[in-house]
Amino acid sequence: MVKLMTRAEIEDFFSRLKKQNPDPKTELKYKNPYTLLVAVALSAQATDKSVNKATEPLFKTVDTPEKMVALGEAKLADAIKTIGLYRGKAKNVIALSKILIEKHGSRVPEDRDALEELPGVGRKTANVVLNVAFGEPTIAVDTHIFRVSNRTGLAPGKNPLEVEEGLLKIVPDAYKLHAHHWLILHGRYTCVARKPLCPTCVVRDLCRFKDKTRELAVEKPKLKMSLRAKRVKR
Ligand code: SF4
């Protein structure tokens, strides 16, 4: 099992991520807590980029539960059809919008249980909404945070809930609000799944991962293309 980091190392780990990016933000585009909730629900098993592509034009005119219900499931499905699992997601978004109107005065509840009762909203989505819209120090464990926490020895766990509970215990209070974004961005752009960019990683000396990469991956396809281009020129 990976050796855990010490308290001093954890402090150092987050202070370096903070130095790199003092005010991290979600990469999902949204206008208000409602559009954030919809965007996060649509992002399950999809990239933020693909969600933004569909929601940026949608949210220009549809940014409240009432407007979403008026749009209707069929038109919503058409607007988000580039996002994976869009039919089920459109159904959930219409259903959750109706519940927000009927039970919560058209507002997004600042309450974990109420959020998790909404169709298509699980613990991860509730954590993101509580963190980003309401400033609560929650940590939503997605695939990136799960990987980074296990590799580095920060908070190893067999499943997302174990990792979330581990992180909540060890992340110093001063870093809790933004820990979620720092870890996601680190996993998305540096500690990537297949070949982590260890040589350029700011926490390399603190990280416990035993298979750190020694050199940055060479982009073979581009190399081949340039060679082919040279041959053609000759
Ligand atoms: S050193 Fe490598 S494995 Fe460790 S956190 Fe950095 S990128 Fe990830």
Side-chain angles (χ1 to χ4, degrees), residues 132-150:
V132 177
F134 301 117
E136 291 194 22
T138 57
I139 301 180
V141 176
D142 71 345
T143 177
H144 301 299
I145 296 191
F146 187 77
R147 182 175 64 252
V148 171
S149 302
N150 273 292

Side-chain angles (χ1 to χ4, degrees), residues 142-185:
D142 71 345
T143 177
H144 301 299
I145 296 191
F146 187 77
R147 182 175 64 252
V148 171
S149 302
N150 273 292
R151 272 181 180 170
T152 54
L154 202 54
K158 289 188 213 68
N159 55 55
L161 187 58
E162 258 185 47
V163 170
E164 180 186 327
E165 287 169 351
L167 286 170
L168 288 173
K169 267 191 217 143
I170 59 101
V171 178
D173 286 348
Y175 300 107
K176 268 206 180 110
L177 182 62
H178 292 313
H180 159 246
H181 287 125
W182 281 317
L183 293 173
I184 283 191
L185 295 172

